[in-house]
Amino acid sequence: MSLCFGRLLLLFVLFSLASALEKDEVYRRNLLTNGLAMTPPIGWNSWNHFNCLIDEKMIRETADALVQTGLSKLGYKYVNIDDCWAELNRDSKGHLVPRKSTFPSGIKALADYVHSKGLKLGIYSDAGYMTCSKTMPGSLGYEEIDAKTFASWGIDYLKYDNCNNDGSKPTVRYPVMTRALMNAGRQIFFSLCEWGDMHPALWGAKVGNSWRTTNDIADNWESMVSRADMNEVYAELARPGGWNDPDMLEVGNGGMTNDEYITHFSIWAISKAPLLIGCDVRNITKETMEIIGNKEVIAVNQDPLGVQAKKVRMEGDLEIYAGPLSGYKTVVLLVNRSRIESQITANWDDIGLPPHTVVKARDLWRHETLNHTFKDKLMAKMDSHACRMFVLMPIA
């Protein structure tokens, strides 16, 4: 169950590209020194559930719901507006204008409301002439004025898409917005939504706080696991200050089973991915709340060591992810992608533990510490499209 030759060849190609990029002056120095993203961002985004059907009332209600459900206390701080919030035309001075029909109070008033709840407001733009919906202008050529506008409104997070551009490379267009944000007078988290076009994991840490490693996710099992696979290739490049992003969470939108959503949330958590809820939190179910509200799984995502777990073994549809946590702990995720119940064994030499190490195992979804110790390996059974997630704690 070792990595195949093709995967190793891909890694060689990617790091060759990284070496080439390092020769460019842009990538010899870190443009983004905003001190943000020491852990992955957690919050909510409007796109996966609402698409363009957004307005200020819904954004305010979402902020209220994050507080009322207790999600804000678990770290869900960002309330991020996606595409379709602005008028089609800029004003006479070149500024973006919020849609009067859906955001009549303006974005500054909305940011003030969100901040009053102890939360942060995010917004969306595009490194092109128009956004992906083609209903509002992009920021290409207007980076300085848009960055200062966002800062004046009190924006805390910018998702920056890659549609309808001039044909130049993302490695040329994205650093322009980075510089503009650095000169805007406010710390703004910069999310590069570049879809993995030019392997942004190789250069994104010097330009943004997170970078999309994949195309858009859809609310189904195959889409979710394929994004996980594409994202995992870049595991070694995630670090405090900059994170791989396999796209936003679909948990609670109805296209997958509960076990599949648990697996989805678990993979994103151990991958140190941004945990951006994509469902309607105003009408959240008990089952969804139990997933996105799992404190122990969130703690793995937010572990200060900041190391993304890797897929250390895979035998057909049976997979083992593992990674170190602070305090000499190790997180292990066993994933059954097959259509039948299966048993998976995690051996210590695969997950990075010294031989004969004795550990206690904490099951993060059953919320129990198993009543016996483990040495050299850990085995567990799981249903189809399900997972088991453990934190292993060495016994002195």
Side-chain angles (χ1 to χ4, degrees):
M1 291 199 298
S2 61
L3 290 174
C4 66
F5 173 77
R7 194 159 180 260
L8 291 173
L9 180 61
L10 174 61
L11 288 171
F12 173 78
V13 172
L14 294 179
F15 282 101
S16 295
L17 177 58
S19 297
L21 286 171
E22 284 294 335
K23 296 177 182 178
D24 192 304
E25 173 62 24
V26 169
Y27 303 103
R28 286 206 295 269
R29 50 197 179 87
N30 193 334
L31 300 179
L32 192 73
T33 53
N34 60 13
L36 300 177
M38 290 301 101
T39 58
I42 310 184
W44 173 89
N45 179 283
S46 60
W47 185 257
N48 283 359
H49 187 85
F50 295 97
N51 297 132
C52 278
L53 300 177
I54 58 174
D55 58 44
E56 65 180 45
K57 179 176 181 290
M58 182 267 287
I59 300 298
R60 287 172 183 257
E61 290 174 350
T62 298
D64 293 341
L66 289 174
V67 174
Q68 292 164 1
T69 58
L71 288 169
S72 64
K73 291 183 179 179
L74 298 179
Y76 291 94
K77 298 293 187 183
Y78 286 103
V79 181
N80 291 349
I81 307 167
D82 212 282
D83 203 351
C84 311
W85 60 268
E87 296 283 9
L88 181 59
N89 297 309
R90 294 173 177 268
D91 69 15
S92 60
K93 295 183 179 180
H95 296 96
L96 291 167
V97 180
R99 286 189 185 177
K100 294 179 181 179
S101 60
T102 50
F103 293 88
S105 302
I107 303 300
K108 176 65 167 64
L110 186 57
D112 290 344
Y113 183 82
V114 170
H115 292 157
S116 75
K117 299 289 180 177
L119 305 173
K120 299 176 182 293
L121 187 69
I123 209 161
Y124 167 98
S125 191
D126 188 284
Y129 296 120
M130 299 186 74
T131 63
C132 294
S133 69
K134 296 185 179 180
T135 64
M136 57 175 277
S139 292
L140 185 61
Y142 290 86
E143 291 88 354
E144 286 288 339
I145 191 171
D146 287 355
K148 289 178 180 177
T149 297
F150 298 150
S152 71
W153 288 344
I155 293 298
D156 303 293
Y157 184 114
L158 173 62
K159 175 182 174 181
Y160 204 47
D161 223 329
N162 197 27
C163 290
N164 303 306
N165 57 70
D166 60 359
S168 62
K169 293 180 179 180
T171 51
V172 173
R173 286 178 284 112
Y174 277 80
V176 180
M177 180 55 84
T178 305
R179 296 185 188 96
L181 291 173
M182 293 302 294
N183 294 326
R186 182 178 179 83
Q187 290 183 320
I188 298 176
F189 184 106
F190 191 26
S191 169
L192 314 180
C193 185
E194 185 258 23
W195 325 318
D197 179 8
M198 288 193 66
H199 309 293
L202 303 178
W203 48 271
K206 296 182 178 181
V207 180
N209 297 115
S210 67
W211 42 85
R212 276 278 295 280
T213 54
T214 72
N215 211 326
D216 291 358
I217 195 171
D219 188 16
N220 63 72
W221 172 259
E222 291 303 328
S223 176
M224 183 273 289
V225 293
S226 69
R227 271 61 183 168
D229 291 341
M230 288 185 278
N231 186 70
E232 192 271 338
V233 172
Y234 305 103
E236 292 186 356
L237 300 173
R239 69 200 76 170
W243 309 102
N244 293 317
D245 177 8
D247 204 6
M248 299 167 292
L249 293 165
E250 291 283 6
V251 179
N253 280 330
M256 289 184 254
T257 67
N258 201 59
D259 278 344
E260 289 172 342
Y261 280 140
I262 289 172
T263 302
H264 178 16
F265 194 75
S266 298
I267 295 175
W268 264 235
I270 64 165
S271 299
K272 301 299 187 291
L275 297 181
L276 297 176
I277 308 166
C279 65
D280 185 356
V281 295
R282 302 170 305 171
N283 298 293
I284 200 164
T285 65
K286 178 176 180 291
E287 291 77 15
T288 296
M289 186 65 192
E290 288 176 350
I291 297 173
I292 64 176
N294 188 321
K295 295 179 182 179
E296 297 185 81
V297 176
I298 293 171
V300 168
N301 178 262
Q302 296 291 292
D303 185 81
L305 195 61
V307 177
Q308 179 174 333
K310 299 177 184 178
K311 193 185 299 184
V312 296
R313 298 289 295 269
M314 50 185 176
E315 184 175 11
D317 290 324
L318 308 181
E319 299 180 341
I320 304 169
Y321 288 80
L325 300 174
S326 57
Y328 304 103
K329 298 175 183 178
T330 300
V331 63
V332 177
L333 179 66
L334 310 178
V335 178
N336 177 14
R337 290 169 65 160
S338 76
R339 297 184 178 276
I340 60 173
E341 180 186 65
S342 301
Q343 178 173 284
I344 302 178
T345 301
N347 295 299
W348 278 195
D349 59 345
D350 295 319
I351 65 176
L353 286 177
H356 314 307
T357 300
V358 178
V359 305
K360 295 284 286 183
R362 176 73 178 176
D363 188 319
L364 302 193
W365 286 107
R366 299 184 180 182
H367 301 291
E368 62 180 9
T369 301
L370 305 188
N371 58 13
H372 57 283
T373 59
F374 296 85
K375 185 172 75 170
D376 294 328
K377 63 183 179 181
L378 179 150
M379 296 180 292
K381 283 185 178 180
M382 62 219 69
D383 292 334
S384 169
H385 290 191
C387 70
R388 297 285 297 275
M389 189 172 182
F390 302 95
V391 168
L392 307 184
M393 300 162 282
I395 298 175

